[in-house]
């Protein structure tokens, strides 16, 4: 924390040789779960800036008018266990009707990746409705926002059947004059489900491998005085997450227990709660941020 201590490290290491050791470990990342309404609203807000209300309206139109998505007002992220044949048919429709989805849908079908899997097919994780997925109806004449939301759902649906993405994570420790410096590199070895989002393993820059206990020279060294930042303001995406998990931060054990697995509102009402607070001028939208007003502070 002290500037003089930092300055002494600087002096000790400047232009001095260092010894390098490193280790590489494989790591994997699985595809995210299918969408329920809240996670779809979060993703659409983070990616396109759509409000929760907008996303609900678009999803409702894609369900009712275009019939290309399943029922959107759901809090489930799983599918029924007897849904495997329907999923196969849906992938066949996607492969037949879209050049964009053909490579991925056909890969899933040809490799037989649709099989019983509790992460995807689990009756115990379904209440009234299951996760939001595309239907057997090919889309026609969608507006641009509808197309964006449909694409979001389709890619998430295809990604979940792909294998995990594989990475190589390298941690390098460089010791100079008794002081240790850490460098980390992460390289995508096999894109797996990330290929559905256009990722390939050629994009990452790898740390140039070094031999055991290789000697290096300190070319430049500097220190930076930094300050902590307060948490960012809520966007609709982060506020929806906070509403979904509301209660986790309550100190009183009984209240926390009462709130567990409930959150504030339901998937179908969270957008209306946010819009209500905006309409009553308890908060305002500035870009993607939600800012409380003086009226909100008076209420508190």
């Amino acid at each position: 924390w002290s500037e003089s201590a930092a300055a002494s490290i600087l002096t000790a290491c400047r232009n001095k040789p260092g010894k390098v050791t490193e280790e590489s470990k494989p790591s994997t990342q699985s595809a995210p779960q299918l969408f329920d309404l809240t996670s779809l609203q979060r993703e659409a807000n983070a990616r396109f800036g759509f409000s929760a209300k907008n996303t609900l309206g678009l999803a409702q139109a894609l369900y009712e008018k275009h019939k290309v998505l399943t029922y959107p007002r759901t809090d489930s992220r799983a599918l029924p266990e007897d849904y495997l044949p329907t999923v196969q048919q849906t992938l066949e429709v996607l492969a037949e009707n879209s050049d964009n989805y053909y490579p991925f849908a056909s890969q899933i079908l040809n490799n037989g990746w649709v099989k019983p899997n509790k992460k995807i097919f689990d009756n115990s994780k379904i209440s009234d409705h299951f996760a939001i997925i595309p239907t057997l109806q090919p889309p026609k004449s969608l507006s641009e926002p509808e197309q964006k939301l449909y694409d979001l759902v389709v890619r998430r649906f295809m990604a979940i059947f792909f294998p995990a993405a594989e990475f190589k994570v390298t941690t390098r420790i460089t010791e100079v004059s008794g002081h240790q410096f850490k460098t980390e590199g992460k390289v995508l070895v096999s894109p797996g489900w990330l290929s559905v989002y256009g990722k390939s393993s050629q994009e990452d820059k790898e740390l140039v491998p070094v031999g055991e206990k290789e000697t290096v020279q300190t070319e430049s060294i500097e220190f930076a005085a930094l300050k902590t930042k307060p948490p960012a303001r809520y966007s609709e995406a982060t506020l929806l997450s906070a509403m979904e998990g509301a209660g986790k931060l309550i100190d009183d054990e009984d209240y926390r227990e009462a709130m567990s697995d409930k959150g504030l509102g339901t998937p179908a009402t969270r957008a209306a709660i946010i819009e209500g607070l905006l309409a009553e001028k308890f908060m305002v939208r500035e870009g993607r941020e939600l800012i409380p007003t003086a009226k909100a502070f008076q209420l508190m």
Side-chain angles (χ1 to χ4, degrees):
W1 299 110
S2 93
E3 197 172 324
S4 56
S8 73
I9 295 173
L10 225 60
T11 310
C13 298
R14 186 170 280 127
N15 300 322
K16 294 286 193 298
K19 285 270 190 290
V20 175
T21 54
E22 71 177 26
E23 62 172 25
S24 294
K25 289 181 180 165
S27 90
T28 59
Q29 183 189 1
S30 295
Q33 284 180 284
L34 296 169
F35 284 123
D36 62 0
L37 179 60
T38 305
S39 56
L40 180 63
Q41 287 170 319
R42 282 202 305 258
E43 185 82 3
N45 180 253
R47 201 171 279 209
F48 309 126
F50 292 174
S51 71
K53 179 188 177 184
N54 262 358
T55 300
L56 176 56
L58 291 167
Q60 200 67 32
L62 289 165
Y63 164 66
E64 277 176 9
K65 180 178 156 199
H66 299 287
K67 304 199 169 12
V68 293
L69 288 188
T70 57
Y71 185 73
R73 291 168 185 255
T74 174
D75 58 358
S76 171
R77 303 186 72 175
L79 296 174
E81 286 163 26
D82 60 3
Y83 225 66
L84 274 83
T86 310
V87 164
Q88 297 261 19
Q89 282 177 281
T90 308
L91 288 162
E92 283 160 16
V93 168
L94 291 172
E96 279 167 29
N97 290 283
S98 167
D99 292 343
N100 289 336
Y101 305 141
Y102 171 77
F104 311 112
S106 58
Q107 211 177 330
I108 297 164
L109 294 166
N110 295 341
N111 287 302
W113 285 339
V114 179
K115 44 186 184 275
N117 173 347
K118 282 288 186 190
K119 181 183 171 182
I120 310 168
F121 304 99
D122 188 347
N123 291 347
S124 68
K125 293 192 182 135
I126 296 169
S127 45
D128 298 340
H129 304 281
F130 51 77
I132 304 170
I133 62 168
T135 63
L136 297 167
Q137 179 80 24
K140 287 187 182 70
S141 60
L142 300 185
S143 67
E144 191 196 346
E146 285 171 344
Q147 180 59 47
K148 280 180 169 172
L149 201 69
Y150 177 72
D151 185 66
L152 215 54
V153 173
V154 171
R155 287 188 191 275
R156 177 69 68 99
F157 170 68
M158 294 189 298
I160 203 165
F161 296 104
F162 268 71
E166 295 172 21
F167 297 89
K168 183 173 89 171
V169 180
T170 303
T171 305
R172 174 180 299 170
I173 303 293
T174 309
E175 190 168 308
V176 186
S177 308
H179 298 287
Q180 294 189 326
F181 300 89
K182 181 161 122 177
T183 317
E184 288 184 303
K186 186 177 182 183
V187 181
L188 184 59
V189 178
S190 167
W193 64 273
L194 287 170
S195 61
V196 176
Y197 295 93
K199 283 271 173 39
S200 72
S201 35
Q202 266 69 61
E203 292 168 24
D204 292 339
K205 287 193 169 62
E206 190 165 0
L207 282 180
V208 179
V210 297
E212 187 57 34
K213 292 282 182 193
E214 188 164 321
T215 305
V216 295
Q217 189 63 26
T218 307
E219 282 188 359
S220 66
I221 181 164
E222 59 190 48
F223 65 75
L226 303 174
K227 290 181 176 169
T228 59
K229 288 187 180 145
R233 289 196 184 276
Y234 281 119
S235 65
E236 287 205 34
T238 55
L239 184 58
L240 284 164
S241 295
M243 290 171 80
E244 195 174 31
K248 285 181 184 153
L249 302 175
I250 297 174
D251 294 330
D252 184 297
E253 215 171 297
D254 293 341
Y255 284 153
R256 195 168 61 240
E257 182 60 34
M259 283 287 287
S260 73
D261 299 330
K262 292 187 179 65
L264 287 176
T266 67
T269 61
R270 284 181 193 125
I273 293 169
I274 293 172
E275 291 298 326
L277 291 168
L278 289 161
E280 294 292 336
K281 299 280 187 286
F282 284 112
M283 60 190 188
V284 291
R285 271 196 195 100
E286 281 185 21
R288 293 195 183 185
E289 294 184 333
L290 297 169
I291 317 250
T293 59
K295 185 178 176 183
F297 285 98
Q298 282 175 337
L299 176 71
M300 295 304 288

